[in-house]
Amino acid sequence: MSGDVTWVGKAPESVVPEGDSLVAAYCLQLGDDALIYAQRLGEWISRAPQIEEDMALGNIGLDLLGQARALLTRSGELDGTGRGEDDLAYFRDEREFRCVHLVQQPRGDFAFEMARMVWFAAYQRELYAALTGSSDPVLAAIAAKAVKEVDYHRDHAEQWVLRLGDGTQESHERMQAALEVVLPYLAELFDDDAVSSAAAEAGIGVLPSSLHDAVVARVAALVERATLTLPDDSRWRSRGGRRGVHDQCMGYLLAEMQHIARSHPGATW
Amino acid sequence: MTAATRARTDVVAAVRAVPDPEVPVISIEDLGILRSVEVDGEVVRVVITPTYSGCPAMRAIEDGIGAVVAAHGLRAEVDVRLAPAWTTDWMSERGRDALARFGIAPPQPGAGVAAAGPVSLDLSVRRVACPLCGSEHTEQISRFGSTSCKALRRCLDCHEPFEEFKAI
Ligand SMILES: [Zn+2]
């Protein structure tokens, strides 16, 4: 968990990119969220409560991986470094990733995954719907495709939250506990970080805070139908993902995701 | 018809007939992912669109197009274009019939219209006919099947499980 950094002496000025570099930085943030969550969902294959769920979580991860590939490719086209999707996925170090803390959290029980997904898919659904109007035509096209996929992800998570919340006493308790575990990671989704703010200003992106009310209203209504309670406060909250400040778990995730590509750079088969 | 025109017609027909690698009973044209074919001298420019962002078959489809074009002595340039986003409404009648004969329930129409509107649909409440016996008395087992584009269902009359092509 990271707090705000206290600088000794003069704080380095943060440079907000402009033009193509801004589109690149914005796509990188969105791509990293999708990529890292895809990696976590892939961990469920062979570990889900039933084989259909192995396939469902694998499929959802695959959709997110496809979105990440398109977003990272767009980022690499515009950031002036000539990097491709694989360079960005496999050859960046932890501090260069821009994902939020929610998506990197280690896999918990199935209720945890559904709590994370119900929030993240609701967030992505609003985000991509708004991004279909992006002034960057490639980002608008990626969003128009992704929004239809995320509809299915959101629906899947919602069906499970309903079933578990309004299920047995055990499932109800675990679903309720899961809502509380993910709570501290939600505020970060709606922080207006420097890149998103500049991207929104330029018509490329969306101000994260503008998505907050619709996402919360959607999840709150579901939680009520599921006979659960939305926890309303947490003593601490995650910060810093968009600046490259991550949890300890992120290093382990990257080690697993990147080690083959780094052990055999340039390998093809 | 000159020999050159005939060759041109042949290669276009061959590209349109390239099968989908995961559901080989349906061609890329009938699936609605082939957007255009243009023959320009020695080069055949083909535009395709993916079904899902993460569809792993896209590479195989590009290779399939490359192979049939090369068999005509020409060179393929394949452009994968995301916009406008593919919808199952682009699937042809012939494609839907082929899926049903193969044992996969075809996608329900109107996906594009539903996706464009603000109304949220409960995706699990739909009537889907069993491709084996025709009964509409079926239920969903899982909305995610062996590939991104399919869901799993079972028939409550003939008791056979089957796949459904999801409307998107
Ligand atoms: Zn039947």
Side-chain angles (χ1 to χ4, degrees):
Chain A
M1 186 50 224
S2 59
D4 277 331
V5 180
T6 304
W7 294 99
V8 179
K10 191 172 180 292
E13 274 174 40
S14 71
V15 180
V16 180
E18 295 171 12
D20 279 356
S21 301
L22 177 58
V23 181
Y26 187 62
C27 287
L28 190 70
Q29 297 191 169
L30 305 185
D32 281 350
D33 280 353
L35 175 67
I36 300 304
Y37 196 27
Q39 180 71 14
R40 282 293 182 221
L41 286 172
E43 293 175 11
W44 275 100
I45 295 168
S46 80
R47 295 188 177 101
Q50 57 194 38
I51 194 167
E52 289 81 3
E53 209 52 34
D54 278 352
M55 290 162 72
L57 297 177
N59 268 296
I60 292 169
L62 193 58
D63 285 344
L64 291 173
L65 187 63
Q67 294 162 18
R69 292 183 60 186
L71 289 162
L72 295 184
T73 297
R74 184 61 175 157
S75 184
E77 277 168 6
L78 296 178
D79 74 359
T81 63
R83 287 177 294 180
E85 49 177 305
D86 285 352
D87 299 315
L88 288 168
Y90 296 128
F91 293 94
R92 276 182 301 152
D93 288 336
E94 185 179 328
R95 287 301 299 261
E96 297 168 275
F97 277 82
R98 293 289 175 264
C99 54
V100 292
H101 288 230
L102 178 68
V103 296
Q104 61 192 259
Q105 292 311 303
R107 184 170 48 85
D109 65 4
F110 186 70
F112 166 81
E113 203 55 78
M114 291 305 106
R116 163 155 65 181
M117 185 180 291
V118 88
W119 279 106
F120 188 69
Y123 158 79
Q124 272 199 324
R125 174 64 175 69
E126 297 301 323
L127 173 73
Y128 286 139
L131 287 177
T132 57
S134 170
S135 62
D136 181 61
V138 176
L139 180 54
I142 295 168
K145 186 133 202 69
V147 72
K148 301 202 283 179
E149 297 162 359
V150 171
D151 254 347
Y152 274 97
H153 308 171
R154 184 178 67 174
D155 188 62
H156 187 70
E158 288 181 346
Q159 299 295 330
W160 272 114
V161 170
L162 276 177
R163 230 176 298 169
L164 295 174
D166 198 10
T168 65
Q169 189 182 343
E170 170 81 6
S171 73
H172 177 91
E173 282 168 10
R174 288 174 71 170
M175 196 64 240
Q176 183 63 46
L179 290 175
E180 284 165 37
V181 173
V182 300
L183 179 67
Y185 302 101
L186 302 177
E188 194 184 357
L189 288 172
F190 307 108
D191 279 344
D192 293 332
D193 63 277
V195 167
S196 298
S197 300
E201 177 80 14
I204 300 157
V206 183
L207 210 53
S209 60
S210 71
L211 307 171
H212 176 273
D213 290 358
V215 173
V216 173
R218 173 94 188 185
V219 179
L222 169 80
V223 162
E224 193 183 338
R225 272 173 69 204
T227 74
L228 297 160
T229 314
L230 207 57
D232 60 4
D233 198 16
S234 67
R235 278 178 300 172
W236 59 276
R237 48 150 298 182
S238 64
R239 288 178 204 278
R242 302 291 188 216
R243 298 195 315 268
V245 179
H246 300 294
D247 277 343
Q248 188 180 22
C249 61
M250 183 69 171
Y252 293 95
L253 180 149
L254 291 180
E256 183 165 340
M257 188 176 88
Q258 297 180 329
H259 84 272
I260 290 183
R262 291 190 178 211
S263 304
H264 307 279
T268 57
W269 62 89
Chain B
M1 195 187 258
T2 65
T5 318
R6 193 171 305 115
R8 188 175 285 233
T9 313
D10 285 352
V11 74
V12 171
V15 169
R16 290 163 63 163
V18 168
D20 176 78
E22 284 173 344
V23 190
V25 293
I26 189 169
S27 69
I28 57 174
E29 180 186 24
D30 287 330
L31 189 53
I33 63 174
L34 179 66
R35 305 302 294 151
S36 67
V37 188
E38 180 200 349
V39 185
D40 181 7
E42 299 291 298
V43 178
V44 181
R45 292 199 187 85
V46 180
V47 177
I48 53 176
T49 191
T51 52
Y52 284 75
S53 301
C55 178
M58 287 315 286
R59 184 64 188 275
I61 292 168
E62 286 179 53
D63 291 348
I65 292 167
V68 301
V69 170
H72 286 77
L74 301 170
R75 185 166 55 82
E77 279 178 12
V78 182
D79 183 13
V80 180
R81 212 171 282 171
L82 292 181
W86 177 79
T87 160
T88 40
D89 289 350
W90 294 348
M91 193 179 287
S92 69
E93 276 309 314
R94 189 172 57 182
R96 288 167 196 272
D97 290 347
L99 280 183
R101 281 198 307 275
F102 193 57
I104 299 173
Q108 309 219 322
V113 179
V119 182
S120 173
L121 296 176
D122 188 341
L123 299 167
S124 56
V125 185
R126 290 173 298 101
R127 291 156 75 93
V128 178
C130 168
L132 303 161
C133 76
S135 165
E136 284 193 355
H137 193 208
T138 66
E139 68 177 9
Q140 182 174 273
I141 301 170
S142 173
R143 66 197 54 228
F144 294 92
S146 58
T147 64
S148 299
C149 50
K150 285 175 276 167
L152 290 176
R153 298 188 73 89
R154 80 177 131 229
C155 177
L156 299 172
D157 285 330
C158 75
H159 303 293
E160 286 292 329
F162 64 91
E163 289 190 303
E164 177 202 3
F165 216 100
K166 290 191 283 197
I168 189 167

